[in-house]
Amino acid sequence: MFAVGGFWALDVFGLGMMSLFVNRDVITDPRAGVGLGLAMVAAATLALVGGLIRVALRRAVTVRVTTMAAIVVLVYGAYLLGGIIVWALFAGGLATDGLFFALSMAIDWPALVIAINALIVTVAYFATLSYRMKHENPFDPRLRSG
């Protein structure tokens, strides 16, 4: 849960600061509505949680760059896919406009902020799991598997 909170905090900070820095809204299309950005971040968060839970359920946690990269790509893809789906369901216009919206967002700075935040959280998560695996007390009854 700490990783999810950290991801949301980094997203709010990163998207807000970049919006101020480049003097532009995160989502500039007026047909998008208010909830589209939130839905996109929620989709990215669900992908992040799925990737991190999959890693946590492994017996031996090893730091693999490919696993971290896969989680970041999964989060990036879920962010864009969430935009397509929510656009098709709730935004005005054609469903193909949602695809073009997502393609334009794919190369824009908000998607980069989401990907960088996912990388930061994933690296911190792997570091925490790796540390706990190396420094766990074998005599602690809470760590024994039944």
Side-chain angles (χ1 to χ4, degrees):
M1 291 309 297
F2 185 73
V4 172
F7 183 66
W8 275 76
L10 286 171
D11 287 345
V12 168
F13 175 77
L15 293 172
M17 290 306 292
M18 280 300 295
S19 180
L20 290 173
F21 182 68
V22 299
N23 196 24
R24 192 181 65 123
D25 286 337
V26 175
I27 297 177
T28 57
D29 196 321
R31 299 172 296 167
V34 186
L36 182 63
L38 183 60
M40 292 170 72
V41 173
T45 303
L46 289 175
L48 179 72
V49 168
L52 295 181
I53 286 175
R54 188 169 188 279
V55 168
L57 293 177
R58 290 186 193 157
R59 277 268 192 231
V61 177
T62 57
V63 178
R64 293 191 178 126
V65 175
T66 55
T67 305
M68 287 189 283
I71 291 173
V72 171
V73 169
L74 180 70
V75 169
Y76 177 79
Y79 177 75
L80 298 175
L81 184 63
I84 293 171
I85 292 170
V86 173
W87 182 286
L89 293 175
F90 300 110
L94 300 172
T96 54
D97 290 342
L99 177 64
F100 292 124
F101 168 76
L103 289 174
S104 69
M105 287 297 288
I107 57 172
D108 207 0
W109 62 266
L112 181 64
V113 169
I114 297 295
I116 289 171
N117 292 342
L119 178 65
I120 291 168
V121 169
T122 303
V123 168
Y125 188 76
F126 266 91
T128 302
L129 286 180
S130 178
Y131 177 82
R132 290 200 58 183
M133 293 294 285
K134 290 178 185 174
H135 295 92
E136 68 183 24
N137 181 358
F139 300 109
D140 188 353
R142 295 174 297 169
L143 298 176
R144 291 187 190 160
S145 58

